[in-house]
Amino acid sequence: MGLHPVAGHFISEHYMFSKGFETYSYYGILNLVTLNVGYHMEHHDFPNVPGSRLPMVKQIASEFYEGLPQHTSWVKVIYDFITNPDVGPYCRIKRKNKGF
């Protein structure tokens, strides 16, 4: 993974930074070079929508995404992952029922 700022998206997508929320979006400038990979909640809601259209999904359905926790910096995600004792490799939601 590494300390490159863009590597923060791997951590930001599925670790619990806010209790009860297991996935987050990032709407910052780095989406321009990562093909909108930061629009993660929108991707989960509409997995067949191309990444280039995910900002439009957020715009059209903004009432569903406003107020949800989001990351403002992938660098801060990495920093928090390393320094915050409440966030780390074991901070994931575990489900009792497995999929198929």
Side-chain angles (χ1 to χ4, degrees), residues 8-9 11-12 17 71 73-82:
H9 91 70
I11 299 168
S12 72
F17 286 80
H71 293 295
S73 165
W74 281 332
V75 173
K76 185 173 180 337
V77 165
I78 295 171
Y79 178 82
D80 288 346
F81 191 76
I82 294 169

Side-chain angles (χ1 to χ4, degrees), residues 45-94:
D45 291 344
F46 301 97
N48 293 323
V49 172
S52 63
R53 301 285 189 237
L54 291 175
M56 191 180 305
V57 168
K58 183 181 184 290
Q59 181 182 6
I60 292 169
S62 62
E63 66 273 14
F64 294 101
Y65 299 105
E66 289 175 4
L68 293 176
Q70 59 183 274
H71 293 295
T72 56
S73 165
W74 281 332
V75 173
K76 185 173 180 337
V77 165
I78 295 171
Y79 178 82
D80 288 346
F81 191 76
I82 294 169
T83 63
N84 185 341
D86 295 327
V87 179
Y90 301 107
C91 196
R92 298 190 63 153
I93 290 180
K94 294 183 178 88

